[in-house]
Amino acid sequence: MFTKVLVAEDYEIANQGIIKILNDKIGIHNIQEAKYCDDAYLKFRKAYNDKEAFELLITDLSFREDHKIQTRASGIDLIKDIRSVQPDIKVIVYSQENRPDKINMLFEKLDINGYVCKGQHAIKELIACVNGVYQNNTVRPPELTNNTAINTMIHLDDLDMMLLEELSQGFTKKEIRTKLKKQKISPNSESAIDKRVSKLFDDFKAKNTTHLVAIVKDLGLL
């Protein structure tokens, strides 16, 4: 079992709850906690530099703003920075976020090892998640494994991501079409781009381009 764990959670009750589960239910006792991402990163770096690295990071996604200026404002920032130093550290996200698309993004883009949604089954799911991740399994929550979630998930290919990136930079569909043609990326016809963009509006239930960009940024896709 993991012997050294870092917990990043800004709510004291949730923080202590995670530690109690790790202590009492799983038998992990070498645990350090942090209420801010920057503090968590500093503890991580100290342990790493002292050659006493953490084996597992359990982090929330959102953290309350404070009077202190934070370099890392979210769990996503924390995961990226820690993984850039120690790529093999195991990561479990423990959050209230239950949108399948955002959870799926964390697995696909950040390669997290497990996810637990805060709620009435969180204790049982956290225990199972830690055990599963320790056994080198990828532990996905019920929000991703039930049929309803699978059917409602939005799947984006490279062209979709390129369109979203260009739209976020303020380019019009006509300008995007010209750019795609110059780069010899297909499909690049006016009708094909119109259909793709319209589908993105429908998938994300966006009212306009500004709304669409705001949604995908909130989901962490851009």
Side-chain angles (χ1 to χ4, degrees):
M1 180 47 65
F2 297 111
T3 58
K4 191 170 185 179
V5 178
L6 176 61
V7 176
E9 166 63 62
D10 57 351
Y11 283 96
E12 183 71 23
I13 294 176
N15 205 325
Q16 293 305 310
I18 295 171
I19 293 172
K20 184 173 176 58
I21 293 169
L22 296 177
N23 274 325
D24 299 348
K25 304 293 185 180
I26 305 178
I28 302 172
H29 302 292
N30 190 353
I31 305 165
Q32 291 189 34
E33 58 179 299
K35 295 181 177 63
Y36 297 98
C37 292
D38 283 353
D39 292 340
Y41 184 76
L42 289 175
K43 290 185 177 183
F44 158 76
R45 281 310 298 251
K46 183 180 186 308
Y48 184 83
N49 292 338
D50 291 344
K51 301 189 185 305
E52 297 177 350
F54 290 100
E55 300 165 330
L56 171 67
L57 167 68
I58 299 178
T59 182
D60 198 348
L61 290 178
S62 59
F63 290 76
R64 291 170 294 178
E65 293 184 4
D66 190 71
H67 62 280
K68 292 166 56 178
I69 297 176
Q70 300 290 324
T71 303
R72 300 161 191 83
S74 71
I76 290 177
D77 295 334
L78 178 63
I79 294 168
K80 288 179 178 178
D81 286 351
I82 286 180
R83 277 275 179 77
S84 70
V85 177
Q86 186 182 336
D88 63 343
I89 190 172
K90 302 292 187 181
V91 176
I92 293 174
V93 172
Y94 183 71
S95 173
Q96 290 181 332
E97 179 60 66
N98 61 3
R99 288 176 293 182
D101 291 296
K102 185 156 189 178
I103 298 173
N104 192 57
M105 178 277 299
L106 295 170
F107 282 98
E108 291 190 352
K109 305 297 183 183
L110 298 183
D111 197 28
I112 66 171
N113 305 98
Y115 192 100
V116 177
C117 289
K118 295 177 180 177
Q120 65 182 110
H121 303 297
I123 294 177
K124 182 173 72 172
E125 290 179 9
L126 181 59
I127 294 170
C129 189
V130 172
N131 286 322
V133 169
Y134 178 71
Q135 295 169 10
N136 291 319
N137 296 321
T138 298
V139 183
R140 298 174 181 269
E143 285 75 8
L144 284 189
T145 55
N146 66 51
N147 291 331
T148 302
I150 292 172
N151 291 334
T152 59
M153 282 176 59
I154 301 169
H155 298 281
L156 303 175
D157 60 20
D158 290 341
L159 180 57
D160 291 325
M161 293 303 299
M162 183 176 292
L163 289 174
L164 288 170
E165 181 66 33
E166 296 297 319
L167 290 171
S168 73
Q169 294 180 20
F171 290 104
T172 64
K173 287 187 287 186
K174 184 177 180 180
E175 291 171 327
I176 295 172
R177 179 171 177 261
T178 300
K179 188 172 182 178
L180 292 178
K181 290 187 73 175
K182 284 183 178 179
Q183 296 180 359
K184 297 182 179 179
I185 297 173
S186 60
N188 56 34
S189 68
E190 185 175 349
S191 62
I193 293 173
D194 281 340
K195 287 179 181 177
R196 285 281 187 142
V197 173
S198 295
K199 187 175 185 304
L200 289 171
F201 277 113
D202 291 339
D203 286 343
F204 290 101
K205 297 179 173 55
K207 298 176 183 177
N208 50 49
T209 300
T210 302
H211 189 207
L212 174 64
V213 171
I215 292 171
V216 295
K217 284 188 174 180
D218 181 55
L219 288 171
L221 296 172
L222 288 178

